[in-house]
Amino acid sequence: MQSILSSMRALALRQSTVEPLRLLHLSAVSEAARKGTREKARKKKVKVEVKKVGFIPHNQRNKKINVKRADKHVDDSWKQVPKDDCYVGRYYRWPVYSVQEAIQCHRETHHPSMYNVPNAPLNLDIELNMQAEKITRFVDNFQRMAMIPHKFDHGEERKIIVFTKGNNEVLEAREAGASLVGGVELIKDITSGELLLSDYQYVIAHPNILAELVALRGLMKRKFPNPKSETLGTNLAEMIVKFSSGISYSAAKDEYQQNFGLITASVGTLDMDVQKLEENIKFLLQDINTMRPKREGRFITRVLLKSPPSSEQLKIDPFVYVPEMWDKSTAKVKRDGAKKQTEPAEPQEAVASN
Amino acid sequence: MLKNIYVTPLNLLKSATSLQQQVRTTFVLKRKYDPPLHKTNEKPRRMRAKNFIYELVDDTLVKKRPNIEVVLKTFVEGVGDKGDVVSMKPHFVYNKLLLPGLAAYNTPENVAKYAKTEAEKSTVKHSSPYAQRTVNMLETIVLAVVMNKDEPWVLEPWHIKASLRKTGFYCREECITLPKERIEGPDLKKENKDFYCTVTINKLEQARLKCRLHHWSTDPSERLPYVLEHWKLQSEPLLDVCSPEKTP
């Protein structure tokens, strides 16, 4: 009997403990949605309107869709290496010339007995892999000026305006070949409208006039001198020589293939000395290599030497002049080394320019 | 006696090893649903219909077959010389090498059998497997030799070399032999006329190259009118005796 009683008690006790808990969970408020929730959700839904597209003529359709384009990065490494001394080019890899050989080949076709254009311009087609650090990111199109040790007639009109205060610097700039050199009075002329800034392609300034030059910031916009684009500095002569005789080049990404960039630049004429042409090519390639993104693999993928009116394209090896792969540990060291290398080359340029 | 009889069949068997191949109709399958587990020492449980559903793992019919190594019995253009062991795609090997009897399977016996003898080594007929192809292609083309219309010139081997390079043939200057007669210009009588020069590949194979002279001026207004597909047109020989090796 006692055992039954105790069990009954236990049951009664248990029941008493369960009931308050039940009360807590059965509250109606916690289960129903709040008043405004459904309305909010309805508002969030955006109505997708299906637009009816009529017939579009084939020539006006978007060309980006449904067109398979060949990869512009040409890879012929699967082809054989020629072993014979006379072979059919299409079955083998492209021959890789040294710069001397390639120039010699162009000189042959431009010889007086053939095309008779011995002073034809020597153009460089540089193909770039524009992929940045990530696969989905790409290097922006860039436009730069490469300094070259040996001047040639690039055929462009480059007018340079120089702002500076000191008398010595004005003389220095005039000697270096600036189109117009002046100080505060020049700034006044521009603000009054007597002189048009748009007549000048390049604007260079000495830091001593920077305070007064700020008044022209609105007129110059992107042309305003800054040390990053190397248009603001104390060494005026060097900057002027660079902008008057350097190679102006721009890298453009392909319209349909974002990771393919192309630079077309002239490095000289065929009748120039081979050594001089080679050095110009070297400086141009090194300047391009400064834009290299921080990733593994090649940036410059192929370099072709061309010379109109001949349609020949001769492949040269750019990795004689620039490092092929990006090295994380040595990237900084190399940059310092490159700076040191350029310094002793400057006096040579001064000599060449004179 | 017995030994002598046994030797040959054994050898035959040996060379047949490379012939043995997996049956082509093999499909590697995998059960989609595993069969039910059963207790040890008991009969396996009955499988349901779904246990007989399979997934295809590998179809040996469409699998790429590996290359086959063969020993060449003779020189084969584009493949190799006699006695060379080459590795090629199986269909090419069957149809182009084994069936015509140009090659045998790569076994030590065959390698020894078809190796080049000393006499054959000394008499070289072909310098490389692709030289003959180059010769054939050089003999089919009509090479346009574009020379200047205003400046005096004498034809030299490097003119031919540059012209060949423009059309996609690469060769050295030493390979080219011009006709004995001096070809001078500019001479508009020589425009669109043929002459032959000889291209020697690897100092062995000789190709007779048909060249056609054209005159070109740097000034666009001075240029001769363009003839469409001039290489298809008939033309006259430039020299009376075209080339030293002209056959009668």
Side-chain angles (χ1 to χ4, degrees), chain A residues 80 83-92 95 97 105 108-109 111-117 309 312 314, chain B residues 128 130-131 133-134 137 146-148 151 153 158-159 161 165-166 168-172 175 202 216 218:
Chain A
Q80 285 181 322
K83 284 170 189 159
D84 303 353
D85 63 356
C86 175
Y87 61 93
V88 191
R90 80 164 88 137
Y91 299 117
Y92 298 92
Y97 294 89
C105 286
E108 276 175 9
T109 51
H111 191 265
S113 62
M114 292 184 92
Y115 281 135
N116 192 18
V117 206
E312 268 189 293
L314 304 174
Chain B
S128 85
Y130 295 106
R133 181 180 69 187
T134 315
M137 291 188 76
V146 179
M147 301 303 284
N148 202 275
E151 298 287 323
W153 47 260
W158 64 262
H159 287 124
K161 179 191 143 197
R165 198 178 57 237
K166 270 157 63 180
F169 289 85
Y170 297 87
C171 75
R172 288 210 207 109
C175 309
N202 298 335
W216 194 86
T218 320

Side-chain angles (χ1 to χ4, degrees), chain A residues 94-160:
Chain A
W94 274 43
V96 180
Y97 294 89
S98 69
V99 173
Q100 288 93 335
E101 285 167 358
I103 290 169
Q104 184 54 40
C105 286
H106 277 312
R107 279 180 182 168
E108 276 175 9
T109 51
H110 291 68
H111 191 265
S113 62
M114 292 184 92
Y115 281 135
N116 192 18
V117 206
N119 58 349
L122 184 68
N123 295 345
L124 223 61
D125 266 23
I126 300 152
E127 297 176 2
L128 305 172
N129 185 357
M130 297 292 261
Q131 192 199 309
E133 284 85 4
K134 287 176 184 172
I135 298 169
T136 49
R137 302 268 169 211
F138 299 99
V139 179
D140 291 329
N141 288 352
F142 56 88
Q143 188 164 21
R144 281 173 68 89
M145 183 73 84
M147 205 159 164
I148 49 162
H150 306 290
K151 271 212 264 184
F152 66 97
D153 181 23
H154 45 65
E156 296 168 33
E157 199 196 14
R158 290 183 189 165
K159 278 187 160 183
I160 301 166

Side-chain angles (χ1 to χ4, degrees), chain A residues 188-354:
Chain A
K188 274 179 190 166
D189 282 355
I190 292 166
T191 43
S192 64
E194 283 170 43
L195 198 72
L196 276 176
L197 258 180
S198 53
D199 293 344
Y200 298 89
Q201 280 86 16
Y202 301 102
V203 181
I204 290 173
H206 194 275
N208 61 15
I209 205 171
L210 200 60
E212 288 90 340
L213 202 65
V214 175
L216 294 181
R217 186 186 278 273
L219 281 171
M220 290 190 198
K221 287 172 189 169
R222 293 196 74 182
K223 273 189 190 171
F224 193 80
N226 63 326
K228 202 190 167 194
S229 62
E230 294 175 49
T231 46
L232 181 71
T234 48
N235 198 348
L236 283 178
E238 189 199 313
M239 288 192 295
I240 292 163
V241 167
K242 179 183 169 178
F243 279 92
S244 60
S245 70
I247 300 171
S248 158
Y249 65 88
S250 64
K253 274 180 286 190
D254 188 70
E255 194 184 344
Y256 302 109
Q257 193 183 341
Q258 289 283 295
N259 68 358
F260 181 84
L262 184 70
I263 294 172
T264 310
S266 183
V267 288
T269 50
L270 271 184
D271 52 359
M272 273 166 74
D273 194 34
V274 177
Q275 247 76 40
K276 286 182 179 176
L277 283 170
E278 195 181 353
E279 270 187 28
N280 279 359
I281 291 170
K282 182 183 162 189
F283 273 73
L284 176 65
L285 289 175
Q286 280 174 352
D287 192 82
I288 292 166
N289 208 44
T290 54
M291 296 302 289
R292 167 185 255 294
K294 287 168 191 148
R295 62 160 169 83
E296 298 290 308
R298 286 177 175 181
F299 177 53
I300 296 171
T301 49
R302 190 164 73 158
V303 179
L304 301 172
L305 272 182
K306 289 182 178 182
S307 184
S310 160
S311 57
E312 268 189 293
Q313 305 183 339
L314 304 174
K315 186 180 171 184
I316 59 163
D317 184 17
F319 307 116
V320 183
Y321 310 106
V322 289
E324 183 177 357
M325 296 297 170
W326 182 69
D327 197 355
K328 207 175 180 183
S329 56
T330 56
K332 278 188 178 178
V333 182
K334 267 178 190 167
R335 246 176 235 168
D336 294 347
K339 270 183 191 171
K340 272 174 199 168
Q341 277 182 1
T342 50
E343 273 162 18
E346 281 153 20
Q348 283 181 7
E349 284 152 20
V351 171
S353 62
N354 290 335

